[in-house]
Amino acid sequence: MIELKSYLQNTWISGKGKAATLVNPSTEEAVATVSTEGLDFKGALAYARETGGKNLRKMNFKERGEMVKAMSQAIHAHRDELIKLAIMNGGNTRSDAKFDIDGASGTLAAYAELAATLGDKSHLVDEAGIQLGRSARLFGVHIWVPREGVAVHVNAFNFPAWGLAEKAAVALLAGVPVVTKPATSTGVVAHRIVEILVEGKMLPEGALSFVAGSAGDLLDHVGGQDMLAFTGAGSTGAMLRGGKSAREHSIRVNVEADSLNAAVLGPDADEDGELTNLFIGDVVRDMTQKTGQKCTAIRRIYVPKEKVEAVIEKLKERLSDVKVGDPSHESVTMGPVATKQQLDDVRAGIGKLAACSKIVHGGVDPIEPLGGTKGKGFFVAPTLLHCAAPSPSDAVHNHEVFGPVATIMPYDGSAKDAARLVASGGGGLVSSIYADDKSFVKEAVLAIAPFHGRVTIGSTKIVGQSVPPGTVLPQLVHGGPGRAGSGEELGGKRGLAFYMQRTAIQGDRALIESFL
Amino acid sequence: MIELKSYLQNTWISGKGKAATLVNPSTEEAVATVSTEGLDFKGALAYARETGGKNLRKMNFKERGEMVKAMSQAIHAHRDELIKLAIMNGGNTRSDAKFDIDGASGTLAAYAELAATLGDKSHLVDEAGIQLGRSARLFGVHIWVPREGVAVHVNAFNFPAWGLAEKAAVALLAGVPVVTKPATSTGVVAHRIVEILVEGKMLPEGALSFVAGSAGDLLDHVGGQDMLAFTGAGSTGAMLRGGKSAREHSIRVNVEADSLNAAVLGPDADEDGELTNLFIGDVVRDMTQKTGQKCTAIRRIYVPKEKVEAVIEKLKERLSDVKVGDPSHESVTMGPVATKQQLDDVRAGIGKLAACSKIVHGGVDPIEPLGGTKGKGFFVAPTLLHCAAPSPSDAVHNHEVFGPVATIMPYDGSAKDAARLVASGGGGLVSSIYADDKSFVKEAVLAIAPFHGRVTIGSTKIVGQSVPPGTVLPQLVHGGPGRAGSGEELGGKRGLAFYMQRTAIQGDRALIESFL
């Protein structure tokens, strides 16, 4: 049994009082304990802001990029160890664990590459400056400088490695210290990553702090230069956004929350063609990868109505091949969900969806896990529902079931009808269109764009080289409007904006240009 | 007595019940009534979203730019009439009124000019797209599309014309319909502007709605594609940001709030030189223009300690020339504050500041207004305080007095000390540095930049052509972190971002480029 400590003010420290227990979700065996009771979060934030912030602001982009690169390499060097921990504490298959851990090192590496293009300055210039008056002398330009606060990162249970690393990469490159808190239930991987980074001394003092367990009064001590980035349930996001400190000090808050991501099969896709195959493969991957516990997973499947039956059959066939069980066994292709609470929520969620749909594969019944013990572990079958007459007010357009669950629905084959149904999800992280027909793609993409942070297009010409919609790329923004929390992360350089202040500088051109 | 109606769902409409009364702040005579009781704000928002949004999205940037230009011209054509209303209901001098009204037409004109550069598309491409995989075919690009919601604009009492126009210019150009609500107390000018625009039929149906009076339940009906932009007191901003709908639907909220803007005189400024003159002129203008009721007005004046006495004398001399009274009289150079509440707040605020400062000019005593009636009107003397030993915890660094009031303080002559004091204001819209010394300017500007949306530099070479810090320019961002509300408005094209969704599009390069 591991005791996960917090890393605050340059010191590993345990909380007092009753610890929470982390389990292996396949076996329900206890694997670690955490407590943050009595920890001085106010002091920890002040230390990060003062010591960490000063240390990072002394470095330029190039130096910070080297730091981020070293972090990437350190995580990669411990890949096998981290995979084992993810299988044990996260219920990940080996493939799921790689997706998380390689995502972490890959995002850090991508930001290291970006840093190399930003040079040896510590501020950025935002586009060319402009003449403000009649003479060329009066000049205005916008610069980006690191905010002098701390970035508080509150991550979700599904990506303990990637969640930590993708947020930290951006903040640290911007020159802002990080206090990161993984979800308690799956915190083992994140804890080990921070241990690795601390042991390797690859960050300056105060640049990275770690909270193992409950956030306690952490958020009561954020101030006007601080930033809060949260990934998780929409209800928690709303609560954090409305917190007293967040409101009263106008804290920047970024939320990635619920998202009813959709996939649309275009009317031009041949039933047995490559495009339909790509579509089927992406849907099944999204339903089962990480046991469907991805904020970007496809939850809604729209198919021209005359093809619904055929697509259901194809999906059922593929879902029947999924081997659910303890992922420490090699033949298992889908593990349990992460916690008992998740299992209860998924089962309740399937019940909600079933009010407007019927279950065509899987369902809520307990299943016997491969390589596991009957009655133990948080297992659920991959579950496909069919909603024959979807309406925007149905649960399928309003309730996210965070597990291996999706609903297939008909549309009339027009881009307009597809867009209307997709948009009724109320704002999402990503949706996808599978079609080759240019006018269908154009109309559908532009109509759903206002409701999404990202739209992917699957087409015959990129079969074999496409990146599935559920994979977040560091070069593209991640986040979406409305239900998805109205946030933006990543997107290459765009991601830095959240951690920096854009300031207009106005005055004599020569004087300003002397220090840009 | 005018009855100000609201303009909702393409109709001028009055509220029921007891009306609020608007007065002339110089005479306290009633000039107008308003009521929004019983108005259907839910229906009004839905109409704006559906009819207004659709109509605007049918137009491209060029067409929207022509619309915005026509709005600018219409306001300009009614300039004299609007100036009279501003004098009557706002307590503006003629010069104050022009600042507001020409600011309105000027900002609309600037956005019309910007539109001409955006072409005949209705979406924008965000920088060059990038290759995502090993082959050039897999491609990602970000586009900006209009959000399909409504922009709710809640403006402050001090700029009824500019506040309406600068927010509307950006939203309308982005393709988003506006529901605009001026502060009730000074709503006459905004009401007349909307009348002019409606009479001139220069906007499509549903593109602009107007709320005369209380916002009632307006904000209970905002949704996930809507935006709320507020200018006013920080406490109200915090309340709006934390509203149930705002939190639960992740509404985009932009707040411009309190700001303790500072002006720093550099150690190299000759006491009787041009630079010191520029500084004195800007400080006095900011203290008295619009009776100090500008969110960008200089509230804190930092001067090298050995020059404090001399600067106080210069400021006193200039402030003695200010003629306070009813601005309908030509010789008056400063009018009353806008309301009885403002007068009470300004007097109480001077009291707060006096806890750490002494009054060296003006003060809280009633004054006899030029051309007015003794005992009538909301008049206050321009008031200068001197805080001899400023500390970050003093009221002068924490409490905004929204009137013709500023506090002069010493610093040790170093950029570091100046920046420390300026930053202790907790985040502001704009601060200014008056110096020619390059290294002082560089150090001071970069050190205060994280705490501001804009920094202006006054230097000898731009005397005579500089734009004072209190003037907001449409090309530069307006907004600031922390106490200032953490918002961003204007800034040319940058301002459009608030009203648009940035969406990553990922897929086959040729397919995507066919519709960009």
Side-chain angles (χ1 to χ4, degrees), chain A residues 368-384:
Chain A
E368 197 161 334
L370 197 71
T373 307
K374 195 173 174 181
K376 284 284 177 193
F378 312 132
F379 298 99
V380 62
T383 298
L384 180 69

Side-chain angles (χ1 to χ4, degrees), chain B residues 339-486:
Chain B
T339 63
K340 175 69 166 63
Q341 183 65 52
Q342 284 304 315
L343 180 63
D344 292 346
D345 289 351
V346 169
R347 285 178 172 160
I350 294 172
K352 278 196 185 182
L353 297 181
C356 57
S357 318
K358 64 174 205 276
I359 295 168
V360 294
H361 186 87
V364 297
D365 294 339
I367 58 168
E368 197 160 333
L370 198 69
T373 306
K374 195 173 175 180
K376 283 286 175 192
F378 314 131
F379 297 99
V380 62
T383 297
L384 181 69
L385 296 102
H386 174 211
C387 169
S391 146
S393 61
D394 288 339
V396 67
H397 295 112
N398 296 288
H399 183 72
E400 185 190 36
V401 183
F402 207 69
V405 180
T407 305
I408 184 166
M409 291 168 274
Y411 76 100
D412 72 7
S414 71
K416 192 174 173 181
D417 195 42
R420 175 186 70 86
L421 288 163
V422 171
S424 65
L429 297 172
V430 57
S431 283
S432 45
I433 307 288
Y434 294 80
D436 291 319
D437 183 274
K438 279 185 192 179
S439 69
F440 180 88
V441 169
K442 176 183 177 169
E443 189 182 344
V445 168
L446 291 179
I448 69 172
F451 302 92
H452 292 87
R454 185 162 53 95
V455 175
T456 77
I457 306 165
S459 59
T460 304
K461 286 193 177 156
I462 54 163
V463 167
Q465 57 177 303
S466 76
V467 176
T471 300
V472 173
L473 294 166
Q475 303 94 327
L476 304 182
V477 297
H478 172 55
R483 185 187 307 283
S486 204

Side-chain angles (χ1 to χ4, degrees), chain B residues 160-205:
Chain B
W162 177 80
L164 184 156
E166 58 97 19
K167 286 189 171 64
V170 187
L172 293 170
L173 182 57
V176 169
V178 170
V179 173
T180 192
K181 188 202 119 41
T184 300
S185 58
T186 59
V188 172
V189 170
H191 177 264
R192 182 64 193 129
I193 288 176
V194 176
E195 271 188 345
I196 292 164
L197 299 176
V198 169
E199 285 163 11
K201 296 190 198 312
M202 44 201 55
L203 288 121
E205 256 184 44

Side-chain angles (χ1 to χ4, degrees), chain B residues 289-354:
Chain B
Q289 188 176 46
K290 301 231 42 155
T291 317
Q293 299 167 112
K294 282 190 322 203
C295 48
T296 51
I298 295 165
R299 309 288 177 199
R300 299 179 289 148
I301 307 159
Y302 297 102
V303 172
K305 61 177 175 296
E306 64 282 7
K307 291 183 183 163
V308 168
E309 286 308 321
V311 171
I312 289 176
E313 288 315 306
K314 283 177 196 283
L315 289 172
K316 282 169 71 172
E317 193 188 326
R318 297 282 287 272
L319 292 171
S320 303
D321 292 340
V322 175
K323 307 275 183 280
V324 183
D326 183 331
S328 64
H329 292 258
E330 259 186 25
S331 58
V332 164
T333 59
M334 191 178 97
V337 293
T339 63
K340 175 69 166 63
Q341 183 65 52
Q342 284 304 315
L343 180 63
D344 292 346
D345 289 351
V346 169
R347 285 178 172 160
I350 294 172
K352 278 196 185 182
L353 297 181

Side-chain angles (χ1 to χ4, degrees), chain A residues 275-351:
Chain A
L275 188 56
T276 300
N277 276 346
L278 176 67
F279 172 80
I280 297 286
D282 282 357
V283 169
V284 172
R285 181 193 295 101
D286 260 13
M287 286 181 70
T288 57
Q289 189 176 43
K290 301 224 61 157
T291 317
Q293 299 167 113
K294 280 190 326 202
C295 48
T296 52
I298 296 166
R299 309 289 177 200
R300 297 180 289 149
I301 307 159
Y302 296 102
V303 172
K305 61 177 175 296
E306 66 279 9
K307 292 184 184 162
V308 168
E309 286 308 320
V311 171
I312 289 176
E313 289 314 306
K314 282 176 194 282
L315 289 172
K316 281 170 72 172
E317 191 188 328
R318 296 282 287 272
L319 292 170
S320 302
D321 292 340
V322 175
K323 308 274 183 282
V324 183
D326 183 333
S328 64
H329 292 258
E330 259 187 25
S331 57
V332 164
T333 59
M334 190 178 97
V337 294
T339 63
K340 176 70 167 62
Q341 182 66 53
Q342 285 305 314
L343 180 62
D344 293 346
D345 289 351
V346 169
R347 285 178 172 160
I350 293 172

